[in-house]
């Protein structure tokens, strides 16, 4: 329904905001409470983009909330700036700049360390506001006398002073804020935000500059916080010092969790529940300060029984009653015994019309595409790879085999710059890539699939492939925050080609978590393909597959290998020898021997390495 009516959410939001003044008073909401809900909801939009969509939990949003609010209030009360609405935007810009500077520091760490840095930042801002900058911020007295907004239309002037008249101004601000946020999360940048939340490692490996996108989300959240802080001062005619308090950040997080993280509207709904209960418990029940205890218990119960918040609970109910509660059946059959799935029992079909995505048309250049010389990797006293020389020719299908512990995966990681070599040099298409980042190497056209699936599990199949295709089409970083992905025909074409090639066109809207194992392995290859590589490295693409799945995947690999250069690691040597034209054997981190599949099969050193000299192991 949402796809057929792209502006349905915006329309329903506008209707809800228009109807609120006529409905909410009958439910016991005072005008001031409704206005506070809108301010918190606006504050929470930015936080939800940061945490709900990008996965960055910040406890320091009060720093930007207070900074933007104090800056706007200072302009209006002490600097003599007469225009309220421009002052709010100047406060938003100031908060965004502060957010950028803070983000440069905070985003140097991830996980709990990032969260703790934001806690420290919030405390620093609180101290600075109350002490060194008290002459400008008002310290513990705040900044009184903040004027209310007005809008001169020429023929009349609209004054938004108090109560429901001020609601009109705040409602418009919230509506504009939610529309902009919806555009952002539907844009290519929003798709990458979700990919970072799900699997930052894979988002990096397919060519996205995730630090740049994390910083973007951080600045967006700071800008929303700064504008909301300015609205707080306007609403109360006073900029309170408690805007900087750590409790403010904590309340924002709790409200967002109550309403539903990753929904944009969750903070608004959570604020409504929070503020209504606060007023009800204090006024109607006369609990006084004990309201925090009761509200804390309510929060615990909501989080325990509605782990996705109130909005998530409604979505689950709708899904259940719509008959979609059960996960769709996997398209593939469960693995069957080997004797029921012989290679010749059934023709394996791979779509002939599907052209493998390519970064650029290749005229079949001669010579090496990749050269590694003297590659060595040490982990303390352990030498995983030792002085390896390795060359891949343009258009070659090159295999790498070796016993467990031979150093194959470590070698692959060095080739794609996931691990820096301790010594040695790597050249790709004549360019020295030693020491480059995995993101930059992927952008050059060198990409790998992973031995253990690295997918975006809560996203759909189409969304997974789209994230990879965006890296190929847009480069490592681009701020097209309001671009409509449906109006990117080259993106849709690349995604459809990839989905058809990996035979997942019937599963495009299925979450990855619901796929069968063989489908996930094909999607793993599809993510590498969608980045349009010139050299594709596949790390055990047949690992864990049933015999039938192996046959199908080998056929898939043969189809994508036409006109493409590939290097494949796998333990299924029969399938590997069928696919490749040249094989390198690693043993104890060194190159043991190199040659054609027939030469490798009959090589005594290889026989010795695998089964202690027992001949016929490959027959």
């Amino acid at each position: 329904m949402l796809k057929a009516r792209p502006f349905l959410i915006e329309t329903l939001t506008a209707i809800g905001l228009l109807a609120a003044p006529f409905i909410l008073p009958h439910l016991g909401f005072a005008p001031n409470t409704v206005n506070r809900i809108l301010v918190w909801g606006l504050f929470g939009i930015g936080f939800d983009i940061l945490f709900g969509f990008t996965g960055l939990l910040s406890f320091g949003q009060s720093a930007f909330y207070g900074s933007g609010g104090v800056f706007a209030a200072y302009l209006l009360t002490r600097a003599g700036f007469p225009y309220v609405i421009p002052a709010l935007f100047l406060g938003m810009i100031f908060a965004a700049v502060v957010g950028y500077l803070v983000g440069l520091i905070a985003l140097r760490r991830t996980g709990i360390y990032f969260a703790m840095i934001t806690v420290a930042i919030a405390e620093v801002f609180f101290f600075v506001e109350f002490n060194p900058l008290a002459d400008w911020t008002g310290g513990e007295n705040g900044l009184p006398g903040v004027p209310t907004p007005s809008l001169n239309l020429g023929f009349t002037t609209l004054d938004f002073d108090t109560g429901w008249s001020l609601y009109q101004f705040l409602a418009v601000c919230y509506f504009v804020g939610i529309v902009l946020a919806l555009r952002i999360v539907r844009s290519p940048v929003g798709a990458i935000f979700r990919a970072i939340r799900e699997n930052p490692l894979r988002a990096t490996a397919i060519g996205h500059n995730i630090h740049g996108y994390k910083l973007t989300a951080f600045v967006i959240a700071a800008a929303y916080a700064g504008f909301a802080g300015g609205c707080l001062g306007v609403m109360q005619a006073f900029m309170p010092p408690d805007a900087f308090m750590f409790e403010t950040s904590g309340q924002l997080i709790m409200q967002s969790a109550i309403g539903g993280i990753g929904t944009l509207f969750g903070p608004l709904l959570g604020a409504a529940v929070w503020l209504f209960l606060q007023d009800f418990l204090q006024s109607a029940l006369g609990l006084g300060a004990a309201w925090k205890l009761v509200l804390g218990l309510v929060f615990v119960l909501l989080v325990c029984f509605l782990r996705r918040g109130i909005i998530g609970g409604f979505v689950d109910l709708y899904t259940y009653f719509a008959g979609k509660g059960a996960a769709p059946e996997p398209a593939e059959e469960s693995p069957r015994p080997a004797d029921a799935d012989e290679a010749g029992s059934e023709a394996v079909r791979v779509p002939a019309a599907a052209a493998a995505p390519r970064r650029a048309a290749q005229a079949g250049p001669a010579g090496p595409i990749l050269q590694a010389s003297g590659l060595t990797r040490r982990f303390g006293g352990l030498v995983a790879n030792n002085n390896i020389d390795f060359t891949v020719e343009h258009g070659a299908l090159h295999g790498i085999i070796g016993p467990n512990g031979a150093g194959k995966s470590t070698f692959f990681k060095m080739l794609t710059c996931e691990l820096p070599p301790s010594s040695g040099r790597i050249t790709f298409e004549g360019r020295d890539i030693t020491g480059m980042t995995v993101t930059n190497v992927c952008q050059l056209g060198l990409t790998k699939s992973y031995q253990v699936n690295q997918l975006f599990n809560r996203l759909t199949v189409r969304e997974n492939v789209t994230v990879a295709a965006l890296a190929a089409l847009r480069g490592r970083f681009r701020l097209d925050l309001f671009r409509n992905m449906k109006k990117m025909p080259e993106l849709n074409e690349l995604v459809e080609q990839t989905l058809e090639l990996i035979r997942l066109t019937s599963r495009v809207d299925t979450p990855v978590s619901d796929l069968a194992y063989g489908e996930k392995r094909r999607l793993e290859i599809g993510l590498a393909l969608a980045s349009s590589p010139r050299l594709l490295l596949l790390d055990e693409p047949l690992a864990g597959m049933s015999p039938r799945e192996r046959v199908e995947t080998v056929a898939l690999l043969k189809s994508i290998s036409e006109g493409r250069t590939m290097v494949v690691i796998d333990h299924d040597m029969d399938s590997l020898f069928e696919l490749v034209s040249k094989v390198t054997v690693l043993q104890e981190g060194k190159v043991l021997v190199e040659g054609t599949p027939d030469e490798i099969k009959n090589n005594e050193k290889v026989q010795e390495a695998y089964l202690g000299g027992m001949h016929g192991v490959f027959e």
Side-chain angles (χ1 to χ4, degrees):
M1 180 173 64
L2 295 181
K3 292 181 179 180
R5 300 180 177 87
F7 298 107
L8 177 63
I9 294 178
E10 291 87 339
T11 302
L12 292 176
T13 301
I15 293 174
L17 292 172
L18 290 172
F22 303 99
I23 298 175
L24 294 182
H26 299 289
L27 300 177
F29 285 88
N32 183 58
T33 301
V34 177
N35 291 339
R36 288 161 61 204
I37 291 170
L38 286 176
V39 171
W40 279 104
L42 190 60
F43 186 13
I45 291 174
F47 174 74
D48 204 25
I49 290 176
L50 180 65
F51 178 48
F53 285 86
T54 317
L56 298 173
L57 177 57
S58 169
F59 291 92
Q61 296 309 105
S62 59
F64 314 118
Y65 186 58
S67 296
V70 164
F71 188 84
Y74 179 84
L75 291 177
L76 294 170
T77 59
R78 298 192 179 183
F81 191 77
Y83 307 107
V84 175
I85 296 177
L88 294 178
F89 282 100
L90 290 174
M92 178 184 72
I93 294 171
F94 178 77
V97 171
V98 173
Y100 175 80
L101 297 175
V102 169
L104 291 176
I105 300 172
L107 291 169
R108 295 172 65 88
R109 294 292 181 265
T110 58
I112 187 64
Y113 301 104
F114 166 79
M116 292 300 99
I117 289 174
T118 61
V119 171
I121 288 169
E123 292 300 315
V124 167
F125 273 70
F126 178 74
F127 172 80
V128 169
E129 186 270 341
F130 266 77
N131 292 279
L133 298 182
D135 292 340
W136 288 273
T137 65
E140 62 183 14
N141 297 317
L143 290 172
V146 180
T148 55
S150 61
L151 186 61
N152 190 344
L153 301 178
F155 58 90
T156 186
T157 300
L158 299 178
D159 293 314
F160 307 101
D161 41 24
T162 57
W164 291 114
S165 65
L166 183 59
Y167 167 84
Q168 299 171 27
F169 173 77
L170 294 175
V172 170
C173 291
Y174 180 83
F175 180 74
V176 173
I178 201 70
V179 169
L180 292 177
L182 287 168
R183 290 292 300 273
I184 290 171
V185 299
R186 294 167 179 168
S187 72
V189 174
I192 298 166
F193 283 167
R194 288 188 288 273
I196 293 171
R197 176 194 67 198
E198 295 301 313
N199 193 335
L201 170 65
R202 193 56 191 270
T204 299
I206 58 179
H208 292 296
N209 176 10
I210 67 167
H211 181 271
Y213 288 111
K214 286 181 178 180
L215 185 57
T216 299
F218 201 82
V219 171
I220 290 172
Y224 271 94
F227 191 87
C231 290
L232 175 68
V234 166
M235 180 187 71
Q236 298 184 161
F238 163 70
M239 188 62 209
D242 57 5
F244 284 95
M245 294 178 64
F246 178 72
E247 182 182 349
T248 300
S249 295
Q251 185 173 331
L252 174 68
I253 295 171
M254 295 176 73
Q255 290 175 359
S256 300
I258 290 171
I261 295 294
T263 62
L264 294 182
F265 293 92
L268 180 74
L269 181 58
V273 172
W274 183 280
L275 295 177
F276 176 78
L277 288 178
Q278 177 181 332
D279 291 345
F280 177 76
L281 294 173
Q282 283 184 297
S283 303
L285 299 184
L287 295 180
W291 71 270
K292 293 184 177 181
L293 173 62
V294 178
L295 198 54
L297 293 174
V298 171
F299 172 76
V300 170
L301 291 174
L302 284 173
V303 171
C304 288
F305 293 99
L306 294 175
R307 297 182 62 184
R308 297 171 55 200
I310 295 174
I311 292 180
F314 282 128
V315 171
D316 291 341
L317 283 175
Y318 172 80
T319 301
Y320 176 79
F321 286 110
K324 300 178 182 179
E329 291 295 326
E332 295 190 315
E333 298 177 1
S334 301
R336 288 183 265 172
D339 57 0
D341 283 298
E342 295 298 331
S345 64
E346 183 178 339
V348 178
R349 294 178 294 175
V350 176
R358 288 175 174 78
R359 189 173 295 267
Q362 299 182 15
I369 186 173
L370 179 74
Q371 288 180 299
S373 57
L375 277 195
T376 300
R377 176 66 192 188
R378 299 182 181 88
F379 296 94
L382 174 66
V383 180
N385 295 122
N386 188 11
N387 198 33
I388 295 179
D389 294 327
F390 182 74
T391 300
V392 181
E393 301 291 329
H394 275 94
L397 300 181
H398 201 121
I400 299 178
I401 64 173
N404 289 330
K408 302 184 297 297
S409 294
T410 300
F411 180 55
F412 249 33
K413 289 180 179 180
M414 284 194 291
L415 292 182
T416 54
C417 295
E418 290 180 84
L419 281 176
S422 301
S423 61
R425 183 169 177 263
I426 307 169
T427 304
F428 177 65
E429 293 190 325
R431 179 174 181 174
D432 189 350
I433 62 172
T434 312
M436 292 181 64
T437 65
V438 64
T439 299
N440 289 335
V441 167
C442 182
Q443 286 294 326
L444 292 176
L446 174 56
T447 307
K448 67 170 281 190
S449 69
Y450 285 80
Q451 176 182 354
V452 177
N453 292 329
Q454 293 289 337
L455 304 171
F456 308 110
N457 288 321
R458 285 197 291 170
L459 304 185
T460 65
V461 171
R462 183 187 297 277
E463 289 170 338
N464 269 256
V465 177
T466 297
V467 170
L470 285 171
L473 297 174
R474 298 167 60 257
R476 61 197 300 270
F477 182 72
R478 182 181 296 181
L479 285 179
D480 43 359
L481 287 167
F482 304 113
R483 189 176 186 183
N484 188 343
M485 287 196 294
K486 294 182 180 179
K487 297 182 179 179
M488 298 174 64
E490 68 282 5
L491 172 64
N492 297 325
E493 181 182 358
L494 179 55
V495 170
E496 292 301 327
Q497 284 180 358
T498 305
L499 289 171
E500 186 176 358
L501 187 64
I502 60 176
R503 297 184 296 110
L504 288 176
T505 52
S506 63
R507 306 281 274 165
V508 292
D509 295 321
T510 304
V512 169
S513 56
D514 292 339
L515 295 180
Y517 179 76
E519 293 174 318
K520 290 181 180 179
R521 293 303 293 164
R522 294 206 304 270
L523 181 59
E524 174 68 35
I525 297 171
L527 290 190
L529 281 175
S531 62
S532 303
R534 293 189 180 93
L535 174 58
L536 177 60
L537 280 63
L538 302 175
D539 193 353
E540 299 199 27
L542 306 177
M545 290 188 174
S546 68
R548 178 183 180 85
E549 289 171 336
R550 288 195 189 99
V551 173
E552 292 177 342
T553 304
V554 169
L556 170 64
L557 295 178
K558 285 182 177 178
S559 71
I560 67 177
S561 68
E562 297 178 6
R564 185 181 302 280
T565 309
M566 289 171 45
V567 181
V568 184
I569 290 177
D570 210 275
H571 287 291
D572 186 343
M573 286 177 248
D574 289 335
S575 298
L576 184 69
F577 289 164
E578 178 186 347
L579 178 66
V580 304
S581 57
K582 189 175 183 179
V583 180
T584 297
V585 182
L586 296 183
Q587 183 186 25
E588 296 180 354
K590 300 178 181 179
V591 175
L592 178 66
V593 68
E594 195 170 74
T596 65
D598 288 337
E599 292 172 343
I600 297 300
K601 288 179 182 179
N602 300 310
N603 190 284
E604 293 184 2
K605 292 182 179 179
V606 178
Q607 300 281 351
E608 181 73 28
Y610 272 90
L611 286 177
M614 294 179 62
H615 296 279
V617 63
F618 299 120
E619 295 177 359

